[in-house]
Short mmCIF file of all heavy atoms in Angstrom, two decimals:
data_model
loop_
_atom_site.label_atom_id
_atom_site.label_comp_id
_atom_site.label_asym_id
_atom_site.label_seq_id
_atom_site.Cartn_x
_atom_site.Cartn_y
_atom_site.Cartn_z
N CYS A 1 1.07 7.29 -35.28
CA CYS A 1 -0.44 7.20 -35.27
C CYS A 1 -1.10 7.91 -34.13
O CYS A 1 -2.30 8.15 -34.22
CB CYS A 1 -0.83 5.78 -35.30
SG CYS A 1 -0.26 4.73 -36.67
N CYS A 2 -0.36 8.24 -33.05
CA CYS A 2 -0.92 8.70 -31.86
C CYS A 2 -1.77 9.89 -31.94
O CYS A 2 -2.91 9.92 -31.54
CB CYS A 2 0.27 8.94 -30.85
SG CYS A 2 -0.28 9.23 -29.16
N THR A 3 -1.28 10.97 -32.49
CA THR A 3 -2.02 12.12 -32.57
C THR A 3 -3.24 12.02 -33.43
O THR A 3 -4.38 12.40 -33.02
CB THR A 3 -1.14 13.33 -33.13
OG1 THR A 3 -0.05 13.62 -32.31
CG2 THR A 3 -1.94 14.61 -33.27
N ALA A 4 -3.15 11.43 -34.62
CA ALA A 4 -4.27 11.25 -35.49
C ALA A 4 -5.31 10.42 -34.88
O ALA A 4 -6.54 10.79 -34.91
CB ALA A 4 -3.76 10.57 -36.83
N ILE A 5 -5.07 9.23 -34.33
CA ILE A 5 -6.11 8.35 -33.88
C ILE A 5 -6.75 8.96 -32.61
O ILE A 5 -7.93 8.86 -32.28
CB ILE A 5 -5.63 6.92 -33.66
CG1 ILE A 5 -5.16 6.33 -34.93
CG2 ILE A 5 -6.65 6.10 -32.93
CD1 ILE A 5 -4.70 4.86 -34.85
N SER A 6 -5.90 9.61 -31.71
CA SER A 6 -6.32 10.21 -30.49
C SER A 6 -7.38 11.31 -30.80
O SER A 6 -8.46 11.43 -30.22
CB SER A 6 -5.23 10.75 -29.66
OG SER A 6 -4.34 9.76 -29.24
N MET A 7 -6.99 12.09 -31.80
CA MET A 7 -8.04 13.24 -32.19
C MET A 7 -9.30 12.73 -32.79
O MET A 7 -10.35 13.28 -32.55
CB MET A 7 -7.25 14.29 -33.09
CG MET A 7 -6.14 14.97 -32.51
SD MET A 7 -6.65 16.03 -31.13
CE MET A 7 -5.90 15.09 -29.76
N VAL A 8 -9.14 11.61 -33.61
CA VAL A 8 -10.38 11.05 -34.16
C VAL A 8 -11.25 10.48 -33.11
O VAL A 8 -12.47 10.62 -33.09
CB VAL A 8 -9.97 9.93 -35.17
CG1 VAL A 8 -11.16 9.05 -35.55
CG2 VAL A 8 -9.33 10.49 -36.41
N VAL A 9 -10.65 9.80 -32.08
CA VAL A 9 -11.40 9.31 -30.91
C VAL A 9 -12.15 10.38 -30.15
O VAL A 9 -13.27 10.39 -29.87
CB VAL A 9 -10.57 8.38 -29.99
CG1 VAL A 9 -11.30 8.13 -28.75
CG2 VAL A 9 -10.19 7.15 -30.70
N ILE A 10 -11.39 11.54 -29.97
CA ILE A 10 -11.94 12.65 -29.28
C ILE A 10 -13.18 13.26 -30.09
O ILE A 10 -14.18 13.62 -29.50
CB ILE A 10 -10.89 13.73 -28.96
CG1 ILE A 10 -9.95 13.28 -27.96
CG2 ILE A 10 -11.63 15.05 -28.53
CD1 ILE A 10 -8.80 14.21 -27.59
N GLY A 11 -13.04 13.23 -31.42
CA GLY A 11 -14.09 13.66 -32.28
C GLY A 11 -15.32 12.83 -32.13
O GLY A 11 -16.48 13.27 -32.18
N THR A 12 -15.12 11.49 -31.97
CA THR A 12 -16.28 10.60 -31.83
C THR A 12 -16.96 10.86 -30.47
O THR A 12 -18.25 10.78 -30.37
CB THR A 12 -15.92 9.03 -31.85
OG1 THR A 12 -14.98 8.72 -30.67
CG2 THR A 12 -15.21 8.72 -33.14
N ILE A 13 -16.26 11.22 -29.42
CA ILE A 13 -16.82 11.65 -28.21
C ILE A 13 -17.54 13.04 -28.35
O ILE A 13 -18.62 13.23 -27.72
CB ILE A 13 -15.78 11.68 -27.09
CG1 ILE A 13 -15.12 10.38 -26.88
CG2 ILE A 13 -16.37 12.22 -25.76
CD1 ILE A 13 -13.82 10.43 -26.01
N LEU A 14 -16.93 13.93 -29.10
CA LEU A 14 -17.45 15.20 -29.37
C LEU A 14 -18.79 15.19 -29.95
O LEU A 14 -19.66 16.08 -29.81
CB LEU A 14 -16.47 16.07 -30.14
CG LEU A 14 -16.81 17.51 -30.44
CD1 LEU A 14 -16.87 18.29 -29.10
CD2 LEU A 14 -15.81 18.16 -31.42
N SER A 15 -19.15 14.15 -30.65
CA SER A 15 -20.36 14.01 -31.34
C SER A 15 -21.63 13.97 -30.30
O SER A 15 -22.77 14.25 -30.68
CB SER A 15 -20.46 12.68 -32.18
OG SER A 15 -20.36 11.55 -31.43
N ASP A 16 -21.31 13.61 -29.10
CA ASP A 16 -22.35 13.54 -28.10
C ASP A 16 -22.34 14.77 -27.18
O ASP A 16 -23.16 14.93 -26.26
CB ASP A 16 -22.08 12.36 -27.11
CG ASP A 16 -22.16 10.99 -27.89
OD1 ASP A 16 -22.95 10.92 -28.78
OD2 ASP A 16 -21.30 10.14 -27.62
N VAL A 17 -21.59 15.82 -27.57
CA VAL A 17 -21.45 17.03 -26.77
C VAL A 17 -22.45 18.16 -27.24
O VAL A 17 -22.56 18.30 -28.40
CB VAL A 17 -20.02 17.66 -26.78
CG1 VAL A 17 -19.95 18.91 -26.05
CG2 VAL A 17 -19.05 16.60 -26.13
N ASP A 18 -23.19 18.74 -26.38
CA ASP A 18 -23.99 19.86 -26.64
C ASP A 18 -23.01 21.07 -26.81
O ASP A 18 -22.55 21.61 -25.85
CB ASP A 18 -25.05 20.12 -25.56
CG ASP A 18 -25.91 21.30 -25.82
OD1 ASP A 18 -25.82 21.84 -26.98
OD2 ASP A 18 -26.69 21.72 -24.93
N MET A 19 -22.95 21.60 -28.06
CA MET A 19 -21.93 22.69 -28.35
C MET A 19 -22.38 23.96 -27.54
O MET A 19 -21.54 24.82 -27.21
CB MET A 19 -21.84 22.85 -29.81
CG MET A 19 -21.35 21.67 -30.62
SD MET A 19 -19.75 21.09 -30.00
CE MET A 19 -18.68 22.38 -30.52
N LYS A 20 -23.68 24.08 -27.30
CA LYS A 20 -24.13 25.42 -26.58
C LYS A 20 -23.63 25.44 -25.20
O LYS A 20 -23.50 26.50 -24.71
CB LYS A 20 -25.61 25.35 -26.76
CG LYS A 20 -26.29 25.45 -28.08
CD LYS A 20 -27.77 25.57 -27.99
CE LYS A 20 -28.41 25.66 -29.42
NZ LYS A 20 -29.83 25.64 -29.35
N SER A 21 -23.33 24.30 -24.64
CA SER A 21 -22.81 24.24 -23.21
C SER A 21 -21.39 24.04 -23.12
O SER A 21 -20.78 23.64 -22.09
CB SER A 21 -23.59 23.21 -22.43
OG SER A 21 -23.26 21.89 -22.94
N MET A 22 -20.64 24.29 -24.26
CA MET A 22 -19.23 23.98 -24.25
C MET A 22 -18.42 24.75 -23.22
O MET A 22 -17.64 24.17 -22.45
CB MET A 22 -18.60 24.29 -25.69
CG MET A 22 -17.16 24.19 -25.82
SD MET A 22 -16.57 22.48 -25.62
CE MET A 22 -17.16 21.87 -27.18
N ALA A 23 -18.73 26.05 -23.06
CA ALA A 23 -17.84 26.88 -22.12
C ALA A 23 -18.71 27.15 -20.81
O ALA A 23 -19.10 28.25 -20.56
CB ALA A 23 -17.46 28.10 -22.78
N ASP A 24 -19.01 26.17 -20.00
CA ASP A 24 -19.48 26.43 -18.73
C ASP A 24 -18.52 26.97 -17.78
O ASP A 24 -17.31 27.08 -18.13
CB ASP A 24 -20.22 25.19 -18.11
CG ASP A 24 -19.21 24.14 -17.73
OD1 ASP A 24 -18.10 24.33 -17.44
OD2 ASP A 24 -19.67 22.89 -17.83
N LYS A 25 -18.92 27.46 -16.62
CA LYS A 25 -18.02 28.19 -15.69
C LYS A 25 -16.82 27.31 -15.24
O LYS A 25 -15.72 27.85 -15.13
CB LYS A 25 -18.78 28.68 -14.44
CG LYS A 25 -19.86 29.71 -14.71
CD LYS A 25 -20.60 30.24 -13.45
CE LYS A 25 -21.55 31.38 -13.89
NZ LYS A 25 -22.26 31.80 -12.62
N THR A 26 -17.11 25.99 -15.03
CA THR A 26 -16.03 25.24 -14.58
C THR A 26 -14.92 24.98 -15.65
O THR A 26 -13.81 25.01 -15.39
CB THR A 26 -16.61 23.80 -14.11
OG1 THR A 26 -17.57 23.92 -13.12
CG2 THR A 26 -15.48 22.96 -13.51
N VAL A 27 -15.36 24.77 -16.93
CA VAL A 27 -14.45 24.64 -18.02
C VAL A 27 -13.71 25.93 -18.18
O VAL A 27 -12.46 25.87 -18.37
CB VAL A 27 -15.30 24.23 -19.33
CG1 VAL A 27 -14.32 24.28 -20.47
CG2 VAL A 27 -15.95 23.01 -19.23
N LEU A 28 -14.29 27.07 -17.97
CA LEU A 28 -13.68 28.32 -18.19
C LEU A 28 -12.59 28.55 -17.07
O LEU A 28 -11.41 28.93 -17.36
CB LEU A 28 -14.69 29.51 -18.18
CG LEU A 28 -14.14 30.88 -18.29
CD1 LEU A 28 -13.39 31.04 -19.63
CD2 LEU A 28 -15.22 32.01 -18.13
N SER A 29 -13.00 28.27 -15.84
CA SER A 29 -11.95 28.46 -14.75
C SER A 29 -10.77 27.47 -14.88
O SER A 29 -9.68 27.78 -14.54
CB SER A 29 -12.69 28.15 -13.39
OG SER A 29 -13.16 26.80 -13.24
#
């Protein structure tokens, strides 16, 4: 169950992410 539930949980967190700011300089580095 590990991969499936972990990815679903990350998806729930992703719902609060502003996709326009996904690749800021720190994330890129």
Side-chain angles (χ1 to χ4, degrees):
C1 300
C2 190
T3 299
I5 296 184
S6 295
M7 292 301 105
V8 168
V9 169
I10 290 176
T12 65
I13 299 171
L14 186 61
S15 66
D16 299 321
V17 175
D18 179 8
M19 300 304 291
K20 294 180 181 179
S21 64
M22 177 64 74
D24 65 29
K25 291 182 179 179
T26 305
V27 174
L28 180 59
S29 67

